[in-house]
Amino acid sequence: MIKKYFSPISFLFSLLLLIIVFYRSEIQWDGNLRDHYSKYYLFSFFLISFSIFSFFLNENVKLYLSIITISVLVSLYLFEGYLNFKSTNLSKSKIYEKFERETGKKFDKKTFIEAFTDGLQNNPKLISPTLPFMFLNDENLKIFPLSGQSNSENLYCNENGFYSEFSTDRYGFNNPDEVWLTKEVEYVIIGDSYAYGNCVNRPDDISSVIREITRKNSINLGQSGSGPLIELAILKEYLPKNVGKVVWLYYEGNDLGDLKVELKNAILKKYLLDKNFNQKLIDKQNLINSLVKNKFIENYNNREKKTSLISYLRKFIVLTNLRRTFIPVGFKVPSEFKEIMSLAKEFCDKNNTELIFVYIPEFSRLKNENFDNKNYNKIKSIIAGLNIDFIDLNKILITERNDPKRFWPLIGGGAHFNDKGYFEVAKIILNFKN
């Protein structure tokens, strides 16, 4: 029976794989990840050719090929299972023990839903951040919100043994509200989760550290999950007058991928096509609060209803962890990135504000000596060509600092800085050209 159906099953599987690869590459990503998917194209064509060739093989050869194929598949799924096991809380138990032994603190092992439910008992108005990227697929929006709910208490992420908590300012950013009361601002921090201050409490985020050290005003306009186009939009909507420096944090891990998605949004695209476009969001906070509140309720309900088992099985079947380990996704630098940075530079120059670009490396550079981000030199070249000041944290943190792993969470790092990391980056920014 195996010998009889080996060839037709192989052909159908190969054809299905080719269709999936084509859909992901050409439809879902509009051809922007064709280089990444070229490996899958070649593999699909090889399987199709081989399956056609197998129709002409004798029965014994088919039997051996079937045994080899089944053995390879079993091995791949066993390895995928091992990688999944490593990422579960069960496999992290020893790491938790190490954390508690070295810090003397208990690691909060509650899920977010558990922690949030506990938090609601003390604060019925508690929310979790509802971020701009969550609106990217909403096609019927009259405005695109670029901040969160104003004057709200937020529970967020846990990478350092505790769930971070913070209050937002009048515009929904992670600041004490009084930052908007001063006439002069020395620093404005803009970027994604690294600017936002993911998984630490104030005053451990970069903007707060700068305020603590300099005793001058610093405003955090970061929004977790944002890419360069959303960041340009935030800059044009919320940059106050009399700002000395804008510090633009760029994360090599996902900023280009975020940009690819942002470019598909009609409202955001206007910031790129029309340098005078402005939604005047600073006067529409009540509307933003309403949109954010509704999105938060929607996301919270979906999170509770989400069947994690189905999601887990889907990722397991397509060997998600295995592919990410050996075939990482790599985005090309789109031409729009240079346009965005050029517009940001022009906007800052118009406001007599210095623009500083900070390149943040992936934690993977510490785990893999052969790590290679092909866009690293191109990004540096683009920023240099635009005459924008460049702070290379890849060089400073990874190469020049002793024991750079100390700047990431003890639990394993990889996502965001710990308090030491944020503090070190703030010092590097303050010492730049001083």
Side-chain angles (χ1 to χ4, degrees):
M1 186 173 180
I2 292 177
K3 292 183 288 186
K4 181 178 180 181
Y5 292 108
F6 175 79
S7 296
I9 290 175
S10 299
F11 179 76
L12 291 175
F13 173 80
S14 305
L15 191 60
L16 177 62
L17 180 61
L18 179 61
I19 292 171
I20 293 172
V21 170
F22 177 83
Y23 171 79
R24 295 292 298 274
S25 173
E26 308 304 322
I27 298 177
Q28 184 172 349
W29 288 107
D30 295 328
N32 291 312
L33 277 179
R34 199 170 291 138
D35 282 352
H36 170 70
Y37 282 102
S38 62
K39 307 175 187 68
Y40 295 103
Y41 274 121
L42 288 173
F43 185 61
S44 301
F45 286 126
F46 169 77
L47 289 181
I48 288 175
S49 302
F50 178 77
S51 61
I52 293 173
F53 175 72
S54 71
F55 279 98
F56 304 99
L57 298 174
N58 65 53
E59 299 300 307
N60 286 334
V61 173
K62 288 184 181 181
L63 178 60
Y64 294 138
L65 286 175
S66 301
I67 294 172
I68 293 171
T69 301
I70 292 171
S71 300
V72 169
L73 287 174
V74 169
S75 300
L76 290 175
Y77 279 108
L78 283 174
F79 191 48
E80 175 71 13
Y82 166 73
L83 294 175
N84 286 340
F85 174 78
K86 281 184 66 177
S87 65
T88 63
N89 286 334
L90 179 63
S91 68
K92 290 179 180 178
S93 59
K94 291 185 178 179
I95 302 177
Y96 292 140
E97 290 174 7
K98 179 182 178 183
F99 173 89
E100 293 170 0
R101 184 173 61 253
E102 295 188 9
T103 66
K105 300 176 182 178
K106 285 287 185 181
F107 194 99
D108 189 344
K109 303 181 185 71
K110 291 193 292 288
T111 65
F112 176 81
I113 289 294
E114 291 169 344
F116 189 79
T117 302
D118 290 347
L120 283 175
Q121 295 177 3
N122 298 321
N123 181 5
K125 294 184 179 180
L126 184 70
I127 64 170
S128 65
T130 301
L131 302 155
F133 79 90
M134 298 177 181
F135 293 91
L136 285 170
N137 295 323
D138 293 3
E139 298 179 355
N140 298 319
L141 290 174
K142 293 183 179 179
I143 66 166
F144 189 95
L146 296 170
S147 62
Q149 186 170 321
S150 62
N151 303 311
S152 62
E153 296 295 325
N154 291 258
L155 183 75
Y156 201 18
C157 50
N158 178 6
E159 293 176 2
N160 295 285
F162 59 90
Y163 282 92
S164 58
E165 299 180 58
F166 62 92
S167 57
T168 58
D169 60 28
R170 65 187 66 185
Y171 300 122
F173 293 99
N174 182 7
N175 294 293
D177 192 66
E178 57 265 25
V179 299
W180 297 98
L181 301 178
T182 60
K183 292 182 179 179
E184 293 186 358
V185 180
E186 187 66 20
Y187 287 91
V188 164
I189 309 298
I190 195 162
D192 62 359
S193 51
Y194 285 89
Y196 198 59
N198 269 34
C199 308
V200 296
N201 293 328
R202 290 204 302 261
D204 290 329
D205 63 283
I206 293 171
S207 188
S208 296
V209 172
I210 288 174
R211 280 195 301 272
E212 291 284 317
I213 293 176
T214 65
R215 297 299 173 183
K216 295 179 180 179
N217 197 12
S218 175
I219 296 180
N220 179 3
L221 293 183
Q223 287 288 280
S224 187
S226 297
L229 186 52
I230 284 180
E231 290 155 13
L232 173 67
I234 291 173
L235 186 70
K236 296 180 73 173
E237 293 284 348
Y238 291 100
L239 184 71
K241 295 179 180 179
N242 302 318
V243 174
K245 300 178 180 67
V246 167
V247 179
W248 185 298
L249 304 184
Y250 170 88
Y251 176 54
E252 71 177 356
N254 55 26
D255 269 21
L256 294 181
D258 293 336
L259 176 58
K260 293 294 185 183
V261 181
E262 292 169 358
L263 287 169
K264 297 179 182 180
N265 185 276
I267 296 178
L268 289 177
K269 196 74 179 289
K270 292 179 181 179
Y271 288 98
L272 187 59
L273 300 175
D274 180 2
K275 65 174 64 177
N276 297 314
F277 177 72
N278 193 295
Q279 298 183 81
K280 296 184 170 31
L281 295 181
I282 208 163
D283 299 319
K284 299 175 181 178
Q285 191 58 42
N286 287 337
L287 178 55
I288 292 172
N289 285 347
S290 177
L291 290 171
V292 167
K293 183 178 180 181
N294 290 336
K295 178 63 72 173
F296 166 71
I297 294 171
E298 175 189 334
N299 289 344
Y300 185 76
N301 291 337
N302 287 341
R303 190 190 298 230
E304 287 198 311
K305 293 176 182 178
K306 191 175 181 180
T307 306
S308 58
L309 179 59
I310 294 176
S311 175
Y312 172 81
L313 287 175
R314 182 185 65 80
K315 291 179 179 179
F316 181 78
I317 290 171
V318 298
L319 300 170
T320 300
N321 285 314
L322 187 66
R323 290 185 296 108
R324 286 177 178 172
T325 300
F326 295 102
I327 315 177
V329 178
F331 291 89
K332 280 187 173 181
V333 181
S335 60
E336 289 87 355
F337 176 78
K338 183 176 181 179
E339 294 176 45
I340 288 168
M341 295 313 304
S342 177
L343 288 171
K345 178 68 162 59
E346 181 182 337
F347 185 75
C348 287
D349 287 347
K350 184 179 178 181
N351 287 276
N352 298 313
T353 299
E354 180 183 356
L355 178 61
I356 302 172
F357 187 92
V358 181
Y359 189 100
I360 300 177
E362 287 190 68
F363 182 77
S364 301
R365 290 181 178 273
L366 294 175
K367 297 190 295 182
N368 181 3
E369 293 181 358
N370 298 316
F371 180 90
D372 178 29
N373 188 305
K374 297 179 180 178
N375 295 321
Y376 171 61
N377 289 323
K378 183 161 188 180
I379 294 293
K380 289 181 68 174
S381 176
I382 289 172
I383 299 305
L386 294 172
N387 199 28
I388 298 172
D389 287 328
F390 187 91
I391 297 178
D392 188 354
L393 293 185
N394 172 51
K395 178 183 178 184
I396 299 172
L397 280 188
I398 304 294
T399 306
E400 297 180 357
R401 293 295 189 269
N402 293 324
D403 187 23
K405 287 185 179 181
R406 71 184 190 274
F407 299 126
W408 279 268
L410 183 63
I411 199 68
H416 305 96
F417 295 130
N418 56 21
D419 56 347
K420 296 184 183 70
Y422 285 116
F423 186 83
E424 190 70 15
V425 172
K427 286 199 305 180
I428 291 168
I429 292 169
L430 290 174
N431 290 331
F432 181 67
K433 295 172 67 173
N434 288 334

